[in-house]
Amino acid sequence: MVEQLERVAAPTRRDLARAQRRRGGSHVVAHLVLGAGALVMAFPFLWQIVMSLSTNAEVQSVTPSFWPAHLQWGNYAAVFERLPFLEQFRTSVVITVVRVLAQILFCTAAGYAFARMRFRGRTVLLAAVLSILMVPSQVYLLSQYQIIADLELLDSLGGLVLPGLFSAFGTFLMRTAFLGMPDELEEAARLDGANPFQVFWRVMLPLARPTISVLAITSTLWSWNELLWPLVVSTYAERMPLSAGLATLISDRTTDYPVVMAASLLAMAPVLVLFVVLQRRVIDGLASSGLK
Amino acid sequence: MSEALPARASARRPARQRRVRRDGAWPWLFVAPLALGVAVFYLWPIVQTAWYSLTTFGVFGGTTFSGLENYAEILSDPTLYRSLVNTLLYTAIVLLNIPIAVYLAALLNLPGLRFAAFYRVLYFLPYVAMPTAVAMVWRIIFNGDFGILNWVLGLAGIDGPYWISTPWASIVAVAVVGLWSSLGFSLIVLSAGLKNVPPELYEAAQLDGASRSRQFRSITVPLLTPSISFLAVVTVIAGFQLFDLLYAILGTTNPALPKSLSLVYYFYRAGFVDNDKGVAAATAMVILLLVGLATAVQFRLQRRWVHG
């Protein structure tokens, strides 16, 4: 019965799609609208590339020069000469890698326990962790700063990295993933005599890999792009990550626009490349996690 | 069958109890690192900030309990209200990304549309790009003397303002960037929402002779209301958090800055430029209250317009 219905329904749907395509006109409109929109979305990036290869005079000419007379590749070399770019780049990489690894470790472990283990105070503890999700970051920022200052970690990697090692969002995300897993595998492993850590490590963690990659992606984005915290805990340009370093670089005495353009392109390139390579996974992951 | 059920249930109970005993200290080993970090760096700071907000910090150290003095101070400061208005203006403009995204998502969902994945990637790019890095190019686009925006406006005979150094214009400019960078996220969420709409609905409507725009109004939009309301809540919360783009686009020496602050920038200036922790903490508590209020109102209103 169902098969019969499907056999009848399937061609109809295909026919409709084909008919729509044949009508065609509406798709032309769709492509016009979507294409124009895409151009607007991409324009700032394209413009930035053009300006990064121009001279300062070309950037500041009142009638825009849409293409530089000579491509100024030297602007990219100047980024490394005039700014502590390599130091800042290294800082960004270290902060991001450490935070992503720590979040994966702490959030999967805690998420697993919250989802699949029973212990006294679980509900209260979970509520406490999740309540942080609803609190704007300013509410804990002052006090975090004070703690880092008391630990004498201002202007250090430790200070930059510390609060971001822990994530309520990550815990929530991993808990949801572990909640949705079948009991049978876990029970079987336990009957075989595996201890809870072995069950977690060998059975559940591999199953959670897709969600772990969502966690890795979101925490990479967040850590690489974050501005306020690095701005607060670091004073010397050499010790800032790129996000904060770029922001200080535009203090109005800098008028070498092409170099600034080249620097900011280089600063966001790693994450953009990562996104373009992993785009399917990023988009599906973010859509299903339903959160930033 | 009906006899077997209670028997099964009672068989499961002792098993669970055994598991509790077997888990022993294990759960704590799993939870402890995160719980400790969260307690030290998030929960305790929340309590401490609430306390800070009731405290006056002496310039040469020393603190005194001062009740609601900090609150009285910020609530009588016109700059705070200006910052609130700026934040609301920014949020209102960024919210416009949702109707645009609904329309674009409907287009992307057209059956047999080519390059849909390509479009999606392009629209999403601004969302993943570092805010301070894209702010650099927007600063130049908005430049009053040689920015391309004013050049384009000039072609249409419009004399564009100095976007970044005019208070109201700077907020509009930053909001345009905010809209630009959040559009992709909305589009992704809405596309996911559209995947759950059964295609049969459109087929039936088409057979009944409903036009494309009628289908959009009567099927697409109503079925997307859960995604739309989610986006509205998330966008408002993010709007209240405006800082990165504003800070990076306006720069720190902008003459228009005192009139172009957002609430979070007001907080940042109080706490980390003027070094007045009490005032900053009180501002943080006000932001917390406003975000909570806005979210509660939205949840209440949702009951009226969200489908299903």
Side-chain angles (χ1 to χ4, degrees):
Chain A
M1 177 66 181
V2 175
E3 268 172 46
Q4 265 176 340
L5 271 180
E6 268 175 3
R7 228 173 290 147
V8 176
T12 325
R13 195 177 302 169
R14 222 180 300 136
D15 286 348
L16 270 172
R18 207 178 294 148
Q20 250 161 9
R21 230 171 298 145
R22 222 176 298 129
R23 264 197 288 145
S26 47
H27 276 204
V28 171
V29 174
H31 280 298
L32 279 178
V33 174
L34 288 166
L39 201 64
V40 172
M41 298 305 276
F43 176 76
F45 296 108
L46 300 174
W47 198 227
Q48 202 161 16
I49 294 171
V50 169
M51 287 195 289
S52 75
L53 294 169
S54 305
T55 63
N56 211 5
E58 281 169 325
V59 169
Q60 297 184 58
S61 73
V62 176
T63 308
S65 65
F66 288 93
W67 196 249
H70 300 282
L71 295 179
Q72 309 287 329
W73 294 107
N75 293 333
Y76 283 85
V79 169
F80 298 91
E81 288 160 18
R82 284 191 229 160
L83 314 168
F85 190 85
L86 273 183
E87 286 91 333
Q88 293 180 354
F89 192 88
R90 208 180 302 133
T91 306
S92 280
V93 171
V94 172
I95 296 177
T96 302
V97 169
V98 172
R99 277 177 168 175
V100 169
L101 291 178
Q103 284 197 18
I104 290 176
L105 190 71
F106 298 149
C107 296
T108 51
Y112 177 74
F114 280 130
R116 303 210 145 244
M117 290 170 149
R118 255 145 260 282
F119 53 99
R120 209 178 275 258
R122 182 180 70 156
T123 323
V124 178
L125 198 56
L126 181 64
V129 172
L130 295 189
S131 68
I132 295 164
L133 286 175
M134 282 165 267
V135 175
S137 66
Q138 300 79 250
V139 178
Y140 36 77
L141 203 74
L142 285 164
S143 178
Q144 284 180 344
Y145 172 82
Q146 199 55 54
I147 294 169
I148 296 303
D150 290 345
L151 293 172
E152 294 185 6
L153 286 175
L154 292 177
D155 281 312
S156 77
L157 275 175
L160 282 166
V161 139
L162 248 175
L165 300 180
F166 314 97
S167 161
F169 167 68
T171 309
F172 170 72
L173 189 72
M174 294 317 303
R175 176 177 167 265
T176 315
F178 286 121
L179 274 179
M181 287 178 187
D183 289 329
E184 289 78 14
L185 283 167
E186 205 179 15
E187 299 285 328
R190 288 206 178 197
L191 286 176
D192 288 346
N195 68 32
F197 178 76
Q198 289 166 325
V199 174
F200 167 70
W201 191 254
R202 299 228 187 100
V203 182
M204 300 308 266
L205 212 54
L207 288 177
R209 225 176 277 154
T211 315
I212 293 176
S213 72
V214 173
L215 174 63
I217 289 161
T218 49
S219 55
T220 302
L221 273 182
W222 166 77
S223 178
W224 190 266
N225 295 340
E226 184 193 30
L227 173 66
L228 190 49
W229 178 250
L231 209 55
V232 160
V233 290
S234 41
T235 18
Y236 304 112
E238 294 78 19
R239 303 201 186 149
M240 288 174 182
L242 283 169
S243 52
L246 279 179
T248 59
L249 179 157
I250 43 109
S251 60
D252 303 11
R253 57 200 143 82
T254 318
T255 46
D256 204 342
Y257 295 109
V259 178
V260 175
M261 291 300 105
S264 43
L265 276 168
L266 289 176
M268 59 182 165
V271 166
L272 291 187
V273 169
L274 198 72
F275 163 64
V276 171
V277 172
L278 297 173
Q279 38 110 354
R280 268 224 91 81
R281 184 158 266 199
V282 179
I283 287 177
D284 291 350
L286 283 174
S288 63
S289 77
L291 262 162
K292 287 205 196 196
Chain B
M1 188 69 190
S2 56
E3 275 168 54
L5 267 177
R8 257 236 220 103
S10 64
R12 189 172 280 175
R13 178 132 296 200
R16 187 176 285 172
Q17 273 167 2
R18 224 181 301 132
R19 201 165 102 191
V20 172
R21 227 170 295 134
R22 226 196 304 154
D23 281 350
W26 282 105
W28 290 104
L29 282 176
F30 277 78
V31 169
L34 182 100
L36 205 69
V38 162
V40 171
F41 287 105
Y42 294 89
L43 293 174
W44 166 244
I46 293 173
V47 177
Q48 199 170 30
T49 301
W51 171 248
Y52 279 169
S53 78
L54 304 172
T55 309
T56 296
F57 288 78
V59 183
F60 302 104
T63 56
T64 43
F65 177 79
S66 59
L68 297 176
E69 224 168 77
N70 292 321
Y71 291 93
E73 186 179 332
I74 57 171
L75 292 179
S76 61
D77 179 4
T79 308
L80 182 85
Y81 295 98
R82 181 91 202 204
S83 310
L84 174 63
V85 170
N86 289 337
T87 305
L88 292 175
L89 175 63
Y90 170 87
T91 307
I93 296 176
V94 175
L95 275 171
L96 293 176
N97 92 78
I98 299 177
I100 299 172
V102 171
Y103 178 61
L104 294 175
L107 289 183
L108 279 175
N109 196 44
L110 287 175
L113 185 87
R114 283 158 166 248
F115 310 122
F118 171 73
Y119 287 129
R120 217 164 277 147
V121 170
L122 268 184
Y123 281 94
F124 201 61
L125 220 48
Y127 181 77
V128 289
M130 182 188 283
T132 47
V134 292
M136 300 300 136
V137 69
W138 282 103
R139 273 171 72 92
I140 303 187
I141 290 174
F142 284 123
N143 186 289
D145 292 319
F146 55 83
I148 193 165
L149 177 65
N150 278 358
W151 180 76
V152 172
L153 290 176
L155 294 182
I158 302 167
D159 199 9
Y162 280 81
W163 291 97
I164 288 166
S165 49
T166 310
W168 68 267
S170 65
I171 296 298
V172 173
V174 172
V176 166
V177 184
L179 194 156
W180 170 77
S181 67
S182 53
L183 186 68
F185 179 72
S186 299
L187 196 59
I188 301 299
V189 171
L190 292 165
S191 297
L194 274 179
K195 273 193 194 136
N196 300 325
V197 179
E200 290 79 11
L201 279 178
Y202 291 105
E203 286 162 27
Q206 203 148 11
L207 292 175
D208 289 344
S211 66
R212 274 276 167 76
S213 64
R214 184 62 210 269
Q215 291 177 30
F216 177 72
R217 266 180 294 131
S218 303
I219 301 176
T220 309
V221 173
L223 289 179
L224 278 182
T225 47
S227 308
I228 294 172
S229 84
F230 165 75
L231 286 173
V233 171
V234 172
T235 307
V236 169
I237 292 176
F240 271 98
Q241 299 297 301
L242 168 63
F243 177 76
D244 296 15
L245 283 177
L246 190 74
Y247 181 90
I249 292 180
L250 295 197
T252 45
T253 55
N254 192 319
L257 200 54
K259 289 182 173 172
S260 308
L261 298 180
S262 66
L263 285 173
V264 175
Y265 206 140
Y266 184 94
F267 157 86
Y268 169 76
R269 213 178 51 162
F272 300 100
V273 180
D274 301 341
N275 251 324
D276 195 337
K277 281 206 198 76
V279 166
T283 310
M285 299 313 278
V286 169
I287 296 173
L288 174 66
L289 188 77
L290 288 171
V291 170
L293 210 67
T295 310
V297 167
Q298 280 180 293
F299 276 124
R300 171 81 27 130
L301 289 177
Q302 270 172 24
R303 277 187 231 153
R304 295 210 195 134
W305 63 274
V306 174
H307 187 83

